[in-house]
Coordinates of all heavy atoms in Angstrom, one line a residue:
S22 N -44.1 -71.7 7.3 CA -44.5 -71.7 8.7 C -44.0 -70.3 9.3 O -43.2 -69.7 8.7 CB -43.8 -72.8 9.5 OG -42.5 -72.6 9.5
F23 N -44.6 -70.0 10.4 CA -44.3 -68.7 11.0 C -42.8 -68.6 11.3 O -42.2 -67.6 11.1 CB -45.2 -68.5 12.2 CG -44.8 -67.2 13.0 CD1 -45.3 -66.0 12.5 CD2 -44.1 -67.2 14.1 CE1 -45.0 -64.8 13.2 CE2 -43.7 -66.1 14.8 CZ -44.2 -64.8 14.4
L24 N -42.3 -69.7 11.9 CA -40.9 -69.6 12.3 C -40.0 -69.5 11.1 O -39.0 -68.6 11.1 CB -40.5 -71.0 13.0 CG -39.0 -71.1 13.3 CD1 -38.5 -70.0 14.2 CD2 -38.8 -72.5 14.0
V25 N -40.2 -70.2 10.0 CA -39.4 -70.1 8.9 C -39.5 -68.7 8.3 O -38.5 -68.1 7.8 CB -39.8 -71.2 7.8 CG1 -39.1 -70.9 6.5 CG2 -39.5 -72.6 8.3
N26 N -40.8 -68.2 8.2 CA -41.0 -66.9 7.8 C -40.1 -65.8 8.5 O -39.5 -65.0 7.9 CB -42.5 -66.5 7.9 CG -42.9 -65.2 7.2 OD1 -42.0 -64.4 6.9 ND2 -44.1 -65.0 7.0
E27 N -40.1 -66.0 9.8 CA -39.3 -65.1 10.6 C -37.8 -65.2 10.3 O -37.1 -64.2 10.2 CB -39.6 -65.3 12.1 CG -41.0 -64.8 12.6 CD -41.1 -63.3 12.6 OE1 -40.3 -62.6 13.2 OE2 -42.0 -62.8 11.9
L28 N -37.4 -66.4 10.3 CA -35.9 -66.7 10.0 C -35.5 -66.1 8.7 O -34.4 -65.5 8.6 CB -35.7 -68.2 10.1 CG -35.7 -68.8 11.5 CD1 -35.7 -70.3 11.3 CD2 -34.6 -68.3 12.4
I29 N -36.3 -66.3 7.7 CA -35.9 -65.8 6.3 C -36.0 -64.3 6.3 O -35.1 -63.7 5.7 CB -36.9 -66.4 5.3 CG1 -36.8 -67.9 5.1 CG2 -36.7 -65.8 3.9 CD1 -35.4 -68.4 4.7
Q30 N -36.9 -63.7 6.9 CA -37.0 -62.2 7.0 C -35.8 -61.7 7.7 O -35.2 -60.6 7.3 CB -38.3 -61.8 7.6 CG -39.5 -62.0 6.7 CD -40.8 -61.4 7.2 OE1 -40.8 -60.7 8.2 NE2 -41.9 -61.5 6.5
Q31 N -35.4 -62.3 8.8 CA -34.2 -61.9 9.5 C -33.0 -62.0 8.7 O -32.1 -61.1 8.7 CB -34.0 -62.7 10.8 CG -35.1 -62.4 11.9 CD -35.0 -63.4 13.1 OE1 -34.0 -64.0 13.3 NE2 -36.1 -63.5 13.8
L32 N -32.9 -63.1 7.9 CA -31.7 -63.3 7.0 C -31.7 -62.2 6.0 O -30.6 -61.7 5.7 CB -31.8 -64.7 6.4 CG -30.6 -65.0 5.5 CD1 -29.3 -64.9 6.2 CD2 -30.8 -66.4 4.8
E33 N -32.8 -61.9 5.4 CA -32.9 -60.9 4.4 C -32.5 -59.5 5.0 O -31.7 -58.8 4.3 CB -34.3 -60.7 3.8 CG -34.4 -59.7 2.7 CD -35.7 -59.8 1.9 OE1 -36.7 -60.3 2.5 OE2 -35.7 -59.6 0.7
Q34 N -32.9 -59.2 6.2 CA -32.5 -58.0 6.8 C -30.9 -58.0 7.0 O -30.3 -57.0 6.8 CB -33.2 -57.8 8.1 CG -32.8 -56.5 8.9 CD -33.6 -56.3 10.2 OE1 -34.6 -57.0 10.5 NE2 -33.2 -55.3 11.0
S35 N -30.4 -59.1 7.5 CA -28.9 -59.2 7.7 C -28.2 -59.0 6.4 O -27.1 -58.3 6.3 CB -28.6 -60.6 8.3 OG -29.2 -60.7 9.6
Y36 N -28.7 -59.7 5.3 CA -28.1 -59.5 4.0 C -28.0 -58.0 3.6 O -27.0 -57.5 3.1 CB -28.8 -60.3 2.9 CG -28.5 -61.8 2.9 CD1 -29.3 -62.7 2.1 CD2 -27.4 -62.3 3.5 CE1 -29.1 -64.0 2.1 CE2 -27.1 -63.7 3.5 CZ -28.0 -64.5 2.7 OH -27.7 -65.9 2.6
E37 N -29.1 -57.4 3.8 CA -29.2 -56.0 3.3 C -28.3 -55.1 4.2 O -27.7 -54.1 3.7 CB -30.7 -55.5 3.4 CG -31.6 -56.2 2.4 CD -33.1 -55.8 2.6 OE1 -33.4 -55.2 3.6 OE2 -33.9 -56.2 1.7
E38 N -28.2 -55.4 5.5 CA -27.4 -54.5 6.4 C -25.9 -54.7 6.1 O -25.1 -53.8 6.3 CB -27.7 -54.9 7.8 CG -29.0 -54.4 8.3 CD -29.4 -54.9 9.7 OE1 -28.6 -55.8 10.2 OE2 -30.4 -54.5 10.3
H39 N -25.5 -55.9 5.6 CA -24.1 -56.2 5.3 C -23.7 -56.1 3.8 O -22.7 -56.5 3.4 CB -23.7 -57.6 5.8 CG -23.8 -57.7 7.3 ND1 -24.9 -57.8 8.1 CD2 -22.8 -57.5 8.3 CE1 -24.6 -57.9 9.4 NE2 -23.3 -57.7 9.5
A40 N -24.7 -55.5 3.0 CA -24.4 -55.4 1.6 C -23.2 -54.4 1.4 O -23.0 -53.4 2.1 CB -25.7 -54.9 0.9
D41 N -22.4 -54.8 0.4 CA -21.2 -54.0 0.0 C -21.3 -53.8 -1.5 O -21.0 -54.7 -2.3 CB -20.0 -54.7 0.4 CG -18.7 -53.9 0.2 OD1 -18.6 -53.3 -0.8 OD2 -17.8 -54.0 1.1
V42 N -21.6 -52.5 -1.9 CA -21.8 -52.2 -3.3 C -20.5 -52.5 -4.1 O -20.6 -53.1 -5.2 CB -22.2 -50.8 -3.5 CG1 -22.3 -50.4 -5.0 CG2 -23.5 -50.5 -2.8
E43 N -19.4 -52.2 -3.6 CA -18.2 -52.4 -4.3 C -17.9 -53.9 -4.5 O -17.5 -54.3 -5.6 CB -17.0 -51.7 -3.6 CG -15.7 -51.8 -4.3 CD -14.6 -51.0 -3.7 OE1 -14.8 -50.3 -2.7 OE2 -13.4 -51.1 -4.2
C44 N -18.0 -54.7 -3.4 CA -17.8 -56.1 -3.5 C -18.8 -56.7 -4.5 O -18.5 -57.6 -5.3 CB -17.9 -56.8 -2.2 SG -16.4 -56.5 -1.2
A45 N -20.0 -56.2 -4.4 CA -21.1 -56.7 -5.2 C -20.7 -56.6 -6.7 O -21.0 -57.4 -7.5 CB -22.4 -56.0 -4.9
H46 N -20.2 -55.4 -7.1 CA -19.7 -55.1 -8.4 C -18.7 -56.2 -8.9 O -18.9 -56.8 -10.0 CB -19.2 -53.7 -8.5 CG -18.6 -53.5 -9.9 ND1 -19.3 -53.2 -11.0 CD2 -17.2 -53.3 -10.2 CE1 -18.5 -52.9 -12.0 NE2 -17.2 -53.1 -11.6
F47 N -17.7 -56.4 -8.1 CA -16.7 -57.3 -8.5 C -17.2 -58.8 -8.5 O -16.7 -59.6 -9.4 CB -15.4 -57.2 -7.5 CG -14.6 -56.0 -7.8 CD1 -14.6 -54.9 -6.9 CD2 -13.9 -55.8 -8.9 CE1 -13.9 -53.7 -7.1 CE2 -13.1 -54.6 -9.2 CZ -13.2 -53.6 -8.2
M48 N -18.0 -59.2 -7.6 CA -18.6 -60.5 -7.6 C -19.4 -60.7 -8.8 O -19.4 -61.8 -9.4 CB -19.4 -60.7 -6.3 CG -18.5 -60.7 -5.0 SD -19.4 -60.6 -3.5 CE -20.0 -62.3 -3.3
S49 N -20.1 -59.7 -9.2 CA -21.0 -59.9 -10.4 C -20.1 -60.0 -11.7 O -20.4 -60.8 -12.5 CB -21.9 -58.7 -10.5 OG -22.8 -58.8 -11.6
K50 N -19.0 -59.2 -11.7 CA -18.1 -59.2 -12.8 C -17.5 -60.6 -12.9 O -17.3 -61.2 -14.0 CB -17.0 -58.2 -12.7 CG -17.5 -56.8 -13.0 CD -17.9 -56.6 -14.5 CE -18.3 -55.1 -14.7 NZ -18.7 -55.0 -16.1
Y51 N -17.2 -61.2 -11.8 CA -16.5 -62.5 -11.7 C -17.5 -63.6 -12.3 O -17.0 -64.6 -13.0 CB -16.1 -62.9 -10.3 CG -15.4 -64.2 -10.2 CD1 -14.1 -64.4 -10.7 CD2 -16.0 -65.3 -9.5 CE1 -13.5 -65.6 -10.6 CE2 -15.4 -66.5 -9.4 CZ -14.1 -66.7 -9.9 OH -13.5 -67.9 -9.8
M52 N -18.7 -63.4 -12.2 CA -19.8 -64.3 -12.7 C -20.3 -63.8 -14.1 O -21.4 -64.1 -14.4 CB -20.9 -64.5 -11.7 CG -20.5 -65.2 -10.5 SD -20.0 -66.9 -10.8 CE -19.2 -67.4 -9.3
R53 N -19.5 -63.0 -14.7 CA -19.8 -62.4 -16.0 C -21.1 -61.7 -16.1 O -21.9 -61.8 -17.1 CB -19.8 -63.6 -17.1 CG -18.4 -64.3 -17.1 CD -18.3 -65.3 -18.2 NE -17.0 -65.9 -18.2 CZ -16.4 -66.6 -19.2 NH1 -17.2 -66.8 -20.3 NH2 -15.2 -67.1 -19.1
D54 N -21.4 -61.0 -15.0 CA -22.6 -60.1 -15.0 C -23.9 -60.9 -15.2 O -24.9 -60.3 -15.6 CB -22.5 -59.0 -16.0 CG -21.4 -58.0 -15.6 OD1 -21.2 -57.6 -14.4 OD2 -20.5 -57.6 -16.5
Q55 N -23.9 -62.1 -14.8 CA -25.1 -62.9 -14.9 C -26.1 -62.8 -13.8 O -27.2 -63.0 -13.9 CB -24.8 -64.4 -15.2 CG -24.1 -64.6 -16.4 CD -23.9 -66.1 -16.7 OE1 -24.6 -66.8 -17.4 NE2 -22.8 -66.6 -16.1
F56 N -25.5 -62.4 -12.6 CA -26.3 -62.3 -11.3 C -26.0 -61.1 -10.6 O -24.8 -60.6 -10.5 CB -26.0 -63.5 -10.4 CG -26.0 -64.9 -11.2 CD1 -24.8 -65.5 -11.5 CD2 -27.2 -65.4 -11.6 CE1 -24.8 -66.7 -12.2 CE2 -27.2 -66.6 -12.3 CZ -26.1 -67.3 -12.6
A57 N -27.0 -60.6 -9.8 CA -26.8 -59.5 -8.9 C -26.3 -60.1 -7.6 O -26.5 -61.3 -7.3 CB -28.1 -58.8 -8.7

Side-chain angles (χ1 to χ4, degrees):
S22 68
F23 177 78
L24 173 60
V25 171
N26 189 340
E27 287 293 306
L28 289 170
I29 295 298
Q30 289 188 0
Q31 290 173 19
L32 181 59
E33 183 166 29
Q34 182 177 349
S35 294
Y36 279 166
E37 292 173 350
E38 290 175 351
H39 291 82
D41 185 317
V42 175
E43 185 175 354
C44 284
H46 172 75
F47 286 109
M48 293 168 79
S49 183
K50 286 294 183 183
Y51 183 66
M52 291 296 163
R53 304 193 176 191
D54 291 316
Q55 296 185 95
F56 311 107

